[in-house]
Amino acid sequence: MTALELAAAIRTRKLGVTDAVSQYINAIEKKDKQINAFTVVSKERAFSRAKEVQAKIDAGAVLPLAGVPVAVKDNISTEGIETTCASKMLSGYAPVYNAAVIDKLENSGMIVIGKTNMDEFAMGGSSETGVYGAVCNPWDLSRVAGGSSGGSAAAIAAGEAPIALGSDTGGSIRQPCSFCGVTGIKPTYGSVSRYGLIAYASSLDQIGTIGQDINDCAALLEIISGPDRRDSTCIIEKPFNFSPDNGCAKIKIGLPKNYFESGIDDDVKKAALAAAKELESSGASIEEFEMPFMDYMIPAYYIIACAEASSNLSRYDGLKYGFRSGNAKTLSGVYRLSRSEGFGLEVKRRIMLGSFVLSSGYYDAYYKKALQTRALIKDAYNKLFEKYDMILSPVAPTAAYKRGENIDDPIKMYMGDIYTVSINLAGLPAVALPCGFDRQKLPVGFQLIGGAFTEKKLIDAARVYQRRTDHHKAGPNS
């Protein structure tokens, strides 16, 4: 069942909350030794919460997703549940407070069943860099699940959770959704509170939703969106409301033709263009255009993201909290050894790059230019959305690749984000939807990108597409 179907069964007493939780806990215990989607499963806590939620439902509480288990990415703070960002640096850390989104989930009657595996501190595109080991793609266990929210996407695809939270800094929700054949929403920056989200790049990070279909994702986004006085960047005035469904008969969709010219697998190109044709058949108009600044998107993103990571991760010094090396003999040794031993290779690579671009003599040459490029990219999107209601593009240039294939080639790994990073640079919303399979029967996804706070338009178009196709209903074992 989808999350909404599960909630309806609970609401109509066809299924008890404890039974629902039990089904997913059993699925995790049965499958997760192979998938490695979870870092921790909060079994006892989930069953305790199930009894509380059942009592509320029996007392007449009507909540859209009450009783539904939810998986949460391991960089979102959960009170009393270990939250490690898949890093040795935070091993054993159990927050003393909930992230804003967790409070909203629990107030709505949802039940956190565990934390999902990821790239260390969300730095990676394959969920291979974390201390818990790689997440395996349920469609082919020899392949990656995508990153950095690979655990959340794999858990949905494998049937280990009905719905999940992830975070998206440069495509970290959308790319795993494409690789695992599930649906996701990266909302507008400032629409969901980041309070309690352990920071990678503060001006780019955004919590979003992953589910089996767009209706599940939209229902969860309604719950977690809305203002929060603890997060000054959260500027939305009230939570989203995605009903009624207005369809997409009169919308105009832009198709960036230079996204389809080189560097993209033929099967991915074919599937994404077929999705455009499907929306055109539903009444939307499609028009090609040339996406500006394409050559500058990856460099600008990685300079800004790594600079912010260098600043954010400076707090992990072996003194205040986090891992402390037992081999240090001096104060400088505590700093050096704790960070050397506590952080993985990819995190150290990005900290070093970020420190370099912020250093004296290089700030103007790199970081300042990247910020100027970001402004140009944002302005270009604003002009495009004067002409188009939304933009359709692939999510990634390939389907899921073999585990270990790109881990030693960071440039190749970074280039896999070519279609996703500009959305984060501009702070825009996007939805990722399954649209077919490649010749190896691996899922392929496309994304719809909109102007700031136009999630309703994107979700309406996604609903039309998923009503007309069955790609989102396919599973690894179907």
Side-chain angles (χ1 to χ4, degrees), residues 291-312:
M291 177 65 82
F293 305 113
M294 188 173 173
D295 291 342
Y296 301 99
M297 291 173 179
I298 292 287
Y301 168 78
Y302 275 99
I303 288 171
I304 293 168
C306 291
E308 294 186 12
S310 172
S311 175
N312 281 324

Side-chain angles (χ1 to χ4, degrees), residues 196-215:
L197 173 66
I198 298 174
Y200 159 23
S202 304
S203 73
L204 303 168
D205 300 337
Q206 187 64 79
I207 295 171
T209 60
I210 299 174
Q212 296 175 57
D213 63 21
I214 194 63
N215 290 321

Side-chain angles (χ1 to χ4, degrees), residues 16 20 44 60 108 129 178 206 249 252 307 312 338 347 360 390 415 470:
E44 292 181 7
S108 70
T129 68
S178 178
Q206 187 64 79
K252 188 173 184 180
N312 281 324
S338 296
V347 172
S360 177
M390 61 191 69
M415 290 305 296
D470 292 326

Side-chain angles (χ1 to χ4, degrees), residues 215 218-219 222 239-246 455-457 459-460 463:
N215 290 321
E222 287 181 343
F240 287 121
N241 182 356
F242 297 122
S243 58
D245 181 352
N246 296 320
E455 279 85 345
K456 178 73 167 65
K457 280 185 184 179
I459 287 166
D460 285 346
R463 283 168 169 162

Side-chain angles (χ1 to χ4, degrees), residues 189 202-204 296 300 304 308 367-380 422 424-427:
Y189 186 84
S202 304
S203 73
L204 303 168
Y296 301 99
I304 293 168
E308 294 186 12
Y367 185 64
K368 185 177 179 181
K369 277 193 171 65
L371 292 179
Q372 291 169 335
T373 303
R374 180 181 192 169
L376 291 172
I377 291 169
K378 188 170 184 178
D379 185 57
S422 62
N424 297 78
L425 287 170

Side-chain angles (χ1 to χ4, degrees), residues 66-180:
V68 174
V70 57
V72 177
K73 190 175 178 180
D74 196 27
N75 62 345
I76 299 172
S77 295
T78 43
E79 183 181 356
I81 303 174
E82 193 174 14
T83 303
T84 69
C85 291
S87 178
K88 182 179 179 180
M89 183 60 79
L90 286 175
S91 179
Y93 169 63
V96 296
Y97 68 98
N98 278 332
V101 293
I102 301 301
D103 284 337
K104 290 181 178 182
L105 291 182
E106 295 192 338
N107 290 339
S108 70
M110 299 188 75
I111 298 163
V112 175
I113 57 168
K115 308 301 288 291
T116 55
N117 203 352
M118 55 184 284
D119 284 299
E120 185 181 9
F121 279 98
M123 298 182 195
S126 60
S127 294
E128 293 177 281
T129 68
V131 72
Y132 298 103
V135 180
C136 300
N137 193 314
W139 291 83
D140 180 346
L141 297 176
S142 70
R143 296 180 183 271
V144 302
S148 61
S149 304
S152 290
I156 302 301
E160 295 180 3
I163 201 162
L165 290 183
S167 68
D168 194 308
T169 306
S172 295
I173 285 174
R174 290 160 287 153
Q175 188 241 38
C177 285
S178 178
F179 282 8
C180 294

Side-chain angles (χ1 to χ4, degrees), residues 176-385:
C177 285
S178 178
F179 282 8
C180 294
V182 295
T183 303
I185 303 176
K186 182 267 167 194
T188 304
Y189 186 84
S191 61
V192 177
S193 173
R194 292 185 302 109
Y195 178 79
L197 173 66
I198 298 174
Y200 159 23
S202 304
S203 73
L204 303 168
D205 300 337
Q206 187 64 79
I207 295 171
T209 60
I210 299 174
Q212 296 175 57
D213 63 21
I214 194 63
N215 290 321
D216 280 3
C217 293
L220 186 55
L221 183 55
E222 287 181 343
I223 290 170
I224 66 170
S225 62
D228 181 10
R229 59 179 178 79
R230 297 167 296 184
D231 177 7
S232 61
T233 66
C234 190
I235 59 173
I236 193 171
E237 294 181 354
K238 58 183 180 180
F240 287 121
N241 182 356
F242 297 122
S243 58
D245 181 352
N246 296 320
C248 66
K250 296 180 181 179
I251 64 171
K252 188 173 184 180
I253 300 175
L255 198 67
K257 60 183 180 181
N258 46 335
Y259 278 17
F260 296 90
E261 289 172 351
S262 62
I264 183 172
D265 282 4
D266 287 341
D267 293 340
V268 175
K269 176 180 178 179
K270 183 179 177 181
L273 291 175
K277 283 288 185 186
E278 191 66 51
L279 287 170
E280 189 174 37
S281 298
S282 73
S285 62
I286 307 289
E287 182 179 301
E288 290 188 338
F289 71 95
E290 191 86 10
M291 177 65 82
F293 305 113
M294 188 173 173
D295 291 342
Y296 301 99
M297 291 173 179
I298 292 287
Y301 168 78
Y302 275 99
I303 288 171
I304 293 168
C306 291
E308 294 186 12
S310 172
S311 175
N312 281 324
L313 271 62
S314 65
R315 72 193 68 182
Y316 304 105
D317 56 12
L319 293 176
K320 293 186 288 293
Y321 60 89
F323 171 78
R324 179 184 291 189
S325 173
N327 299 317
K329 306 299 182 185
T330 64
L331 179 60
S332 62
V334 171
Y335 290 134
R336 179 171 54 82
L337 293 175
S338 296
R339 290 170 70 80
S340 294
E341 296 169 19
F343 289 134
L345 178 61
E346 183 60 31
V347 172
K348 286 187 276 193
R349 180 185 287 126
R350 297 193 190 198
I351 289 173
M352 290 172 68
L353 178 58
S355 298
F356 173 76
V357 301
L358 290 174
S359 61
S360 177
Y362 297 98
Y363 180 94
D364 288 344
Y366 292 101
Y367 185 64
K368 185 177 179 181
K369 277 193 171 65
L371 292 179
Q372 291 169 335
T373 303
R374 180 181 192 169
L376 291 172
I377 291 169
K378 188 170 184 178
D379 185 57
Y381 269 118
N382 289 338
K383 290 176 180 175
L384 286 169
F385 290 123

